[in-house]
Amino acid sequence: MAVRMRSNDLLTGGHSSAWYGGGPGAMKPVRVVTLCCVLLLASRLGATRKESPEEASFYYGNFPLGFSWGVGSSAFQTEGAWDQHGKGPSIWDTFTHSGKGNILGDETADVACNSYYKVQPQEEAGGGGITPEDVALLRELHVSHYRFSLSWPRLLPTGVRADGVNRKGIQFYSDFIDALLKSNITPIVTLHHWDLPQLLQAKCGGWQNGSMANYFSDYANLCFEAFGDRVKHWVTFSDPRTMAEKGYETGHHAPGLKLQGTGLYKAAHHVIKAHARVWHAYNDTWRRQQQGLVGISLNCDWGEPVDLSNPKDIEAAERYLQFCLGWFANPIYAGDYPQVMKDHIGRKSAEQGLEMSRLPVFSLQEKSYIKGTSDFLGLGHFTTRYITERNYPSGQGPSYQNDRDLVELVDPNWPDLGSKWLHSVPWGFRRLLNFAQTQYGNPLIYVTENGASQKLHCTQLCDEWRIQYLKGYTNEMLKAIKDGANVKGYTSWSLLDKFEWERGYSDRYGFYYIDFNKKNRPRYPKASVEYYKRIITANGFPNPREVESWYFKALEICSINNQMLAAEQMRISKCDDAMLQVFPDSRSFQDEAAFAFSSAMLVSPPTAEPLLSYMQIVTEIVVPTVCTLCILIAAVLLMLLLRSLS
């Protein structure tokens, strides 16, 4: 996910709530900006920023033929089964189990979405297979691809191939890939989405150690060998900037190290070299036979100068993008770190009395080896920031935030989607795509993450704010394609509500709502499911009247679903109470009924209107089932009463 902001930091150079961006792991704020500065910056923002042309126009048209639509997730956030079937511990298992308050509400991902048991094929009694539940959700969305990650410790429990391969893990992912392909859904597979095997962290310090490239290469080659005959799109790392910054600078993510100003640069350096090594391994050994692509997924928000007439603001915005996207993309596409990073970090390191820059250096051989090691650029994007310059004294100590010498702001008029860090600013997406297109030589681009979190902390299926976000951002992507950006696919984040790292289960990004209080984690479709499905089916935005009808149809369906869900939960609760009085040790009827109801909401005949089919299924299946069970419970209670009287 993209880096989130603290909600209680005010004007602290890269940390903010309503005004400033930056990661929640940023260093402890130094409150040196006065109220006058706040008013001055706000007045500058209001005086210099006008509505951009792209904000005022909506483009009706189609995406190119063959454009790939999808959704995504990651292993640790969804799978659960954290210690089942031979899986080893990850650094995130250790981090969440530490009891140190690392996670909001002390939540863990031990069960998460329970997806480990919801993506496996099931056998019918009469033979044949049942489509796994989560694959059925993907089919319901009509997506062409699904982006997911493999759990390194599920495949290699110690992280080291020589120590043994977990064959149950291999079989699990192999079956899942087969189930996707059987449903005509292309797998886009991420090798590493933050869940490093814990034993590698304990053994060699994780990504602080250059030897990690060897272990990662061995792991990647195992994956190419086991799945490469069917997987043709590989992502080496997902959002490594956040992994490095929060894991090794601020300590807000696993492994929880606070090596300010040094740890994140060293971790990133080793990640870049590991990525290059895996790309070369695929290119040299597997490409001719498997004919696949290998890339990397980099997340970055757009940075817009506060004052377009101020050269310092323009330089600060460029610096923001280079410290964010260029940090990883520039070595891969140009062979070295951005010059502005080398200059700023080198100068500050010297001022801090260091003989060498805190930013590591690539050798000439390494530069040549790394350059060109990406068949596509995976780009994740969520929001935009206004950027203005601010010089941080080197005496404040080394840190990523201070090295950038800038301040991030948001326009208070931007829609607030609930998460303090995330505002809806669609026009920034088009600018970022065009920036990547020109900066890195017109690369093949797959949008690998883009989405909005839930606004309310209750069951909310009518997510109209997500619909507006989805509509605006995909339309700006269409404009960028018309501008010349070579975007081949889009991954909306995410399929399911899931474990959101240090935020636990408080932020919900899914198209499907999950009740985490139920053991079997039932799924319920939100309004955005219907809307996204319409965009995919039309492959764009045909005309104003039709696009407007999508919105009302989606809200109509979710409104009925909300009413049915509330009524069903009330009936289930009453039946559950009665069942517990008779059979206090029995399995919760509420879990079983919730599963039946959520399944009914997701199954509809291809030719039927979704709303009518949902109502028909609930009327014909769920309600009679619940009534029958209630009658049986009443009969049991009557028998017990008669027995006690006799």
Side-chain angles (χ1 to χ4, degrees):
M1 294 304 306
V3 182
R4 302 188 176 99
M5 268 61 65
R6 294 181 184 177
S7 61
N8 58 348
D9 290 348
L10 176 64
L11 295 173
T12 58
H15 310 56
S16 85
S17 57
W19 282 94
Y20 288 79
M27 39 186 262
K28 191 172 182 180
V30 181
R31 305 182 186 279
V32 297
V33 182
T34 66
L35 179 59
C36 291
C37 293
V38 177
L39 297 175
L40 177 61
L41 288 170
S43 64
R44 283 184 63 201
L45 186 60
T48 60
R49 304 308 306 173
K50 303 296 183 183
E51 183 181 49
S52 64
E54 52 265 60
E55 287 181 275
S57 62
F58 190 87
Y59 182 82
Y60 291 93
N62 294 106
F63 285 84
L65 288 175
F67 189 83
S68 186
W69 296 95
V71 287
S73 71
S74 80
F76 186 80
Q77 292 179 281
T78 60
E79 283 182 1
W82 77 279
D83 61 350
Q84 299 296 301
H85 299 170
K87 177 185 172 295
S90 74
I91 57 174
W92 271 96
D93 292 319
T94 301
F95 194 69
T96 57
H97 294 164
S98 69
K100 297 179 180 179
N102 294 325
I103 311 299
L104 184 66
D106 288 326
E107 299 281 6
T108 72
D110 292 358
V111 179
C113 305
N114 206 27
S115 288
Y116 182 78
Y117 296 104
K118 290 181 180 284
V119 300
Q120 299 188 42
Q122 302 173 22
E123 294 296 326
E124 288 184 301
I130 301 174
T131 301
E133 183 177 347
D134 284 355
V135 177
L137 304 186
L138 295 167
R139 292 174 63 172
E140 172 72 12
L141 272 168
H142 296 178
V143 295
S144 3
H145 73 259
Y146 181 49
R147 181 191 167 211
F148 66 96
S149 72
L150 306 175
S151 168
W152 188 345
R154 193 177 295 285
L155 295 173
L156 298 174
T158 69
V160 180
R161 186 171 184 177
D163 291 344
V165 176
N166 179 20
R167 291 298 164 186
K168 290 183 178 180
I170 296 286
Q171 191 63 50
F172 165 69
Y173 288 117
S174 185
D175 289 345
F176 179 43
I177 291 166
D178 286 343
L180 290 173
L181 293 172
K182 185 178 180 181
S183 295
N184 294 317
I185 298 168
T186 299
I188 296 181
V189 178
T190 301
L191 292 170
H192 187 49
H193 198 131
W194 307 359
D195 51 345
L196 183 73
Q198 172 60 32
L199 293 179
L200 285 181
Q201 184 66 39
K203 178 180 180 179
C204 58
W207 292 107
Q208 292 296 288
N209 193 319
S211 66
M212 284 297 301
N214 299 328
Y215 298 118
F216 185 64
S217 179
D218 289 343
Y219 159 62
N221 276 287
L222 170 67
C223 296
F224 298 150
E225 178 184 336
F227 314 121
D229 59 329
R230 290 155 291 164
V231 175
K232 305 305 176 185
H233 296 79
W234 295 96
V235 177
T236 54
F237 292 91
S238 182
D239 191 11
R241 178 181 60 87
T242 296
M243 182 179 77
E245 183 185 357
K246 288 194 171 186
Y248 295 92
E249 164 96 350
T250 69
H252 282 78
H253 280 187
L257 300 180
K258 299 180 181 180
L259 309 172
Q260 289 192 342
T262 57
L264 80 167
Y265 296 131
K266 185 182 291 187
H269 197 69
H270 296 148
V271 163
I272 292 168
K273 291 199 285 187
H275 160 82
R277 181 160 179 177
V278 166
W279 185 90
H280 279 287
Y282 189 85
N283 196 55
D284 296 342
T285 306
W286 305 101
R287 188 184 300 277
R288 179 173 296 180
Q289 176 186 356
Q290 297 181 356
Q291 297 294 304
L293 302 174
V294 178
I296 191 169
S297 176
L298 305 177
N299 282 23
C300 192
D301 299 332
W302 174 250
E304 181 79 1
V306 166
D307 186 353
L308 290 171
S309 65
N310 186 338
K312 290 187 176 181
D313 280 1
I314 294 174
E315 290 174 6
E318 172 72 17
R319 194 160 60 247
Y320 172 87
L321 292 169
Q322 295 299 344
F323 267 79
C324 178
L325 183 60
W327 182 4
F328 291 86
N330 220 68
I332 292 170
Y333 286 96
D336 200 2
Y337 292 118
Q339 191 62 43
V340 69
M341 284 190 75
K342 295 193 291 185
D343 291 345
H344 267 250
I345 300 170
R347 174 176 57 80
K348 294 212 171 198
S349 298
E351 291 172 354
Q352 290 156 357
L354 301 176
E355 294 183 1
M356 297 181 61
S357 173
R358 288 179 280 105
L359 182 68
V361 177
F362 292 117
S363 68
L364 289 176
Q365 183 179 3
E366 288 172 338
K367 291 177 183 179
S368 176
Y369 186 74
I370 294 167
K371 184 178 179 180
T373 56
S374 192
D375 301 319
F376 64 88
L377 173 61
L379 199 57
H381 173 78
F382 289 85
T383 191
T384 286
R385 292 288 180 265
Y386 281 127
I387 307 297
T388 189
E389 183 183 47
R390 178 181 171 193
N391 292 316
Y392 288 91
S394 299
Q396 287 188 3
S399 78
Y400 173 72
Q401 300 296 343
N402 287 356
D403 286 340
R404 300 186 307 165
D405 278 338
L406 56 86
V407 169
E408 303 174 24
L409 305 93
V410 302
D411 188 330
N413 294 318
W414 288 343
D416 180 357
L417 300 176
S419 295
K420 295 296 183 182
W421 70 280
L422 206 166
H423 294 76
S424 181
V425 195
W427 54 263
F429 190 25
R430 178 185 185 182
R431 297 186 184 190
L432 182 67
L433 289 169
N434 283 328
F435 173 85
Q437 185 259 335
T438 56
Q439 187 81 6
Y440 306 117
N442 194 30
L444 178 66
I445 296 175
Y446 282 90
V447 175
T448 43
E449 287 187 37
N450 176 248
S453 57
Q454 185 169 355
K455 199 168 188 176
L456 302 175
H457 295 286
C458 59
T459 305
Q460 177 57 268
L461 302 182
C462 296
D463 54 346
E464 61 267 22
W465 67 90
R466 183 178 284 108
I467 288 175
Q468 295 298 339
Y469 181 98
L470 184 64
K471 176 185 177 184
Y473 276 76
T474 53
N475 195 252
E476 292 300 317
M477 175 175 62
L478 178 57
K479 293 176 186 178
I481 292 173
K482 300 300 181 183
D483 294 337
N486 190 17
V487 184
K488 295 299 184 183
Y490 171 81
T491 303
S492 190
W493 198 260
S494 58
L495 175 64
L496 306 169
D497 292 341
K498 58 195 183 308
F499 181 81
E500 290 297 338
W501 313 110
E502 77 272 34
R503 297 292 300 166
Y505 297 99
S506 63
D507 290 353
R508 292 176 175 266
Y509 287 83
F511 282 102
Y512 291 88
Y513 176 90
I514 292 187
D515 188 343
F516 292 106
N517 294 317
K518 302 292 191 303
K519 184 181 296 185
N520 59 26
R521 302 299 197 266
R523 282 94 157 108
Y524 304 100
K526 302 177 187 178
S528 52
V529 168
E530 178 67 19
Y531 195 86
Y532 190 35
K533 184 165 58 176
R534 300 276 181 160
I535 295 177
I536 294 171
T537 302
N539 198 35
F541 303 94
N543 58 72
R545 184 175 180 179
E546 186 171 349
V547 171
E548 185 179 20
S549 73
W550 299 347
Y551 176 77
F552 291 113
K553 176 63 70 174
L555 293 187
E556 177 189 7
I557 291 174
C558 78
S559 179
I560 296 296
N561 286 347
N562 263 334
Q563 295 174 30
M564 292 193 301
L565 177 58
E568 191 65 23
Q569 287 178 335
M570 184 175 297
R571 287 194 294 269
I572 290 169
S573 180
K574 291 179 180 179
C575 290
D576 202 35
D577 291 342
M579 181 70 81
L580 288 173
Q581 291 180 17
V582 182
F583 305 110
D585 295 327
S586 67
R587 184 178 177 182
S588 172
F589 167 71
Q590 191 171 357
D591 273 355
E592 297 295 342
F595 173 74
F597 180 69
S598 65
S599 298
M601 293 177 72
L602 301 178
V603 179
S604 60
T607 58
E609 284 292 320
L611 174 59
L612 296 177
S613 63
Y614 293 156
M615 293 177 68
Q616 180 181 357
I617 291 169
V618 170
T619 302
E620 296 179 358
I621 300 176
V622 177
V623 172
T625 301
V626 171
C627 291
T628 302
L629 287 170
C630 289
I631 292 170
L632 290 173
I633 292 168
V636 172
L637 290 172
L638 181 60
M639 290 175 58
L640 292 174
L641 178 61
L642 292 174
R643 184 179 298 176
S644 64
L645 291 176
S646 62

